[in-house]
Amino acid sequence: SEFASFWLYIKILLCILIFYILKTLLYVISGFVFGKTKETSDYLLNVFIFGQIAGIFLLPVMVLTTYLNNVNIFIVGVLIFSALYSYRLYSGIMYATSVAKISMYYLFLYLCTLEILPILILIKVFRIMSNC
């Protein structure tokens, strides 16, 4: 029913919102602990700007996917998002190693805990939800 779909949408929206709030808090706390608050706030601004750019690029893809119901347009959207996400990670790594002078060990820990692990958890959750 439409009511159940609406509540599913609200639940997904809340989960995404809570995820990003917790992730941002983790960034701020880790920046404070390691004495890199300015670098952390610069990185968070960079992530915010990339999110806005991704939204601009993906809005037409979303509209086309909704109304044309073509899987190829969806694949193009996933490719655009993947390219933007990869570029964001690359620029973050370059910033962390050159400007912030963060060691490769901490960078590897960051990538594993705040970038790769949430993606793996989302994949697992979607697989579990699709089997219901």
Side-chain angles (χ1 to χ4, degrees):
S1 77
E2 291 179 15
F3 191 69
S5 299
F6 176 73
W7 281 113
L8 177 64
Y9 171 76
I10 295 296
K11 288 178 187 177
I12 292 171
L13 181 68
L14 285 175
C15 288
I16 291 171
L17 185 67
I18 290 169
F19 169 74
Y20 278 108
I21 289 172
L22 289 176
K23 190 173 178 179
T24 303
L25 281 174
L26 221 67
Y27 280 123
V28 171
I29 291 169
S30 64
F32 178 74
V33 167
F34 294 115
K36 303 281 185 184
T37 54
K38 183 195 178 311
E39 291 85 356
T40 303
S41 64
D42 289 346
Y43 178 73
L44 287 174
L45 177 65
N46 191 15
V47 168
F48 176 74
I49 290 170
F50 274 113
Q52 300 301 310
I53 292 170
I56 290 170
F57 279 109
L58 292 174
L59 183 64
V61 173
M62 182 187 71
V63 170
L64 289 174
T65 301
T66 301
Y67 290 113
L68 296 180
N69 200 13
N70 188 344
V71 78
N72 293 330
I73 298 172
F74 178 76
I75 291 171
V76 168
V78 169
L79 291 175
I80 290 172
F81 178 77
S82 299
L84 288 171
Y85 188 76
S86 298
Y87 182 72
R88 188 193 87 178
L89 282 179
Y90 174 75
S91 66
I93 290 169
M94 291 297 112
Y95 179 79
T97 56
S98 62
V99 176
K101 304 286 191 243
I102 296 175
S103 73
M104 292 303 284
Y105 175 72
Y106 289 128
L107 199 56
F108 178 74
L109 284 176
Y110 152 74
L111 286 173
C112 289
T113 56
L114 292 177
E115 296 296 338
I116 297 171
L117 183 64
I119 292 171
L120 294 176
I121 290 172
L122 282 174
I123 290 171
K124 183 70 172 178
V125 167
F126 284 136
R127 282 188 176 173
I128 289 172
M129 288 177 67
S130 65
N131 287 336
C132 292

